[in-house]
Amino acid sequence: MAAIPDAPNRDTGKTLAEIIAEHVRDSARQHWTSSYNNTPLIVGIQGPQGSGKSTTARAVKKLLEDSYGWIIALLSLDDLYLPHDGLRSVAAAHPGNALLNGRGHPGTHDLELGKDILERLQQLNVNARSPETRDEFNLPVFDKSLHNGEGDRLPEGSGEKIEGLMEVVIVEGWCLGFYPLSDEELEKRYTAEVDAAKNERLQPYSLQDLKDINNYLKSYVEALYHFFTCFAQIVPGPDPIALTYKWRLQQEHDMKAGNGGRGMTDEQVKAYIPGYLFFADGVEKGYNTQSGVEPVPEKYPPWRGRNLRVTIDENRAVTKVEKI
């Protein structure tokens, strides 16, 4: 487990969870006023592995429930991983691509399931008006310790039961909000990383391996991103890649220490880093990721204007807060 991110902002004295909870509160009030409906606000929280995003998401949920009595659903992108057989099928379809040899990167999630859940959550309040349309279901659960750390989805009905009315839906994930790049921009970034003598972060990953991830990301944008109108991004500084690897490794070691050693190897943990290195700026820019090119408004993420960027240090203390 990552350390609880309870270190306060050096300027305001507020914790990471309190800062994001205020952002969600203000966005929810604006959402209900501007939309003239009672659909729940669907919020995305993104941060690299080990940054404390899952702990923060749970804390945000509790803060809003305790302060305002809101009913809130919390879904992790991790719980949308394909079942074990599906993960093995993806790996078999991309032999030699270590990024897709197991759970983690775009391409290993069940997007149809994710889209169905978000659609049902979005319509939950509308359908609750009538006994004939009232909806009840359970959120999925993925157990990462099964199959020697490869993981598998638990039987249907294992997760939190969803019913009645809902004010807010929070979805958290390390690659949530990542956008694909053009082939030209991806190649440019890959070449620049190798030329900068940092290619140890990429090995044994080829440009084609990253193109596979890039192609899968297009489906994430189409299937999921239009549901989100509020977002919070947790950004480590000053060296995001070094901290991401350090935290993610610590997270996996802690999990294995508590379950008898079932989990990823250190090399498998490294496989998360390329996705963060190449695609994370899409959370803010959407498709506007090519340097030197004038941004196109239609290519911005749907949460633009309601995106909170929170920078944290190695101890997970908040150092900077920006609204984008």
Side-chain angles (χ1 to χ4, degrees):
M1 294 292 291
I4 297 176
D6 57 359
N9 184 320
R10 296 168 183 169
D11 297 325
T12 67
K14 295 177 181 177
T15 65
L16 175 61
E18 289 170 338
I19 291 169
I20 294 178
E22 289 181 357
H23 172 61
V24 174
R25 177 201 63 195
D26 295 344
S27 297
R29 290 171 174 171
Q30 184 179 358
H31 169 76
W32 297 323
T33 300
S34 62
S35 300
Y36 295 101
N37 60 40
N38 66 341
T39 60
L41 176 74
I42 300 181
V43 181
I45 297 179
Q46 185 274 328
Q49 299 86 353
S51 63
K53 70 180 176 309
S54 299
T55 304
T56 297
R58 290 192 293 269
V60 169
K61 178 178 184 289
K62 188 174 190 309
L63 280 168
L64 294 173
E65 288 173 339
D66 291 349
S67 299
Y68 307 106
W70 291 353
I71 300 174
I72 300 174
L74 175 59
L75 174 67
S76 172
L77 196 64
D78 288 358
D79 288 319
L80 295 179
Y81 284 134
L82 292 163
H84 185 257
D85 289 346
L87 293 174
R88 290 291 85 212
S89 296
V90 171
H94 300 277
N97 188 340
L99 300 177
L100 293 171
N101 184 21
R103 57 181 166 84
H105 274 90
T108 62
H109 298 92
D110 189 336
L111 296 184
E112 287 301 317
L113 175 64
K115 181 180 178 181
D116 178 67
I117 289 173
L118 290 176
E119 284 179 342
R120 294 175 74 174
L121 286 167
Q122 188 178 60
Q123 296 302 312
L124 193 68
N125 296 346
V126 175
N127 292 334
R129 296 172 181 171
S130 169
E132 289 77 19
T133 58
R134 183 183 176 91
D135 196 8
E136 296 182 1
F137 59 97
N138 293 84
L139 295 180
V141 178
F142 188 93
D143 188 338
K144 298 177 184 178
S145 70
L146 299 177
H147 301 284
N148 295 316
E150 293 182 359
D152 203 355
R153 187 181 301 162
L154 295 183
E156 188 173 347
S158 300
E160 177 188 355
K161 186 175 182 179
I162 301 297
E163 58 183 336
L165 300 175
M166 188 80 58
E167 274 81 18
V168 175
V169 175
I170 299 174
V171 184
E172 57 90 3
W174 80 269
C175 62
L176 184 66
F178 285 13
Y179 268 75
L181 304 168
S182 67
D183 286 345
E184 294 78 10
E185 181 65 15
L186 181 60
E187 184 171 355
K188 178 180 176 182
R189 295 185 182 195
Y190 180 84
T191 301
E193 187 69 12
V194 172
D195 290 346
K198 299 177 183 176
N199 56 310
E200 69 274 4
R201 291 175 178 167
L202 305 178
Q203 297 300 328
Y205 315 121
S206 67
L207 177 60
Q208 182 56 52
D209 293 339
L210 292 168
K211 285 184 177 180
D212 291 339
I213 303 300
N214 196 54
N215 287 333
Y216 275 120
L217 269 175
K218 298 173 184 177
S219 298
Y220 284 64
V221 175
E222 295 171 0
L224 305 181
Y225 289 3
H226 63 278
F227 290 103
F228 298 94
T229 54
C230 175
F231 214 92
Q233 184 183 21
I234 304 169
V235 181
D239 188 341
I241 304 304
L243 281 180
T244 295
Y245 179 63
K246 177 181 178 180
W247 288 340
R248 183 62 185 87
L249 199 62
Q250 179 188 55
Q251 187 182 51
E252 195 71 17
H253 287 177
D254 288 348
M255 183 188 78
K256 290 165 70 174
N259 68 15
R262 298 187 303 274
M264 290 184 173
T265 66
D266 289 1
E267 288 302 313
Q268 288 174 319
V269 170
K270 270 187 182 178
Y272 281 85
I273 305 305
Y276 189 82
L277 181 66
F278 287 91
F279 307 110
D281 60 347
V283 173
E284 300 174 14
K285 301 177 181 179
Y287 289 111
N288 295 296
T289 49
Q290 187 172 350
S291 59
V293 176
E294 190 70 21
V296 180
E298 290 79 10
K299 294 186 177 182
Y300 282 130
W303 52 81
R304 185 171 175 83
R306 292 186 185 174
N307 181 27
L308 192 72
R309 188 178 196 267
V310 186
T311 304
I312 60 176
D313 63 17
E314 184 174 359
N315 298 315
R316 301 178 181 85
V318 177
T319 60
K320 191 175 182 179
V321 180
E322 304 165 273
K323 289 189 176 181
I324 299 172

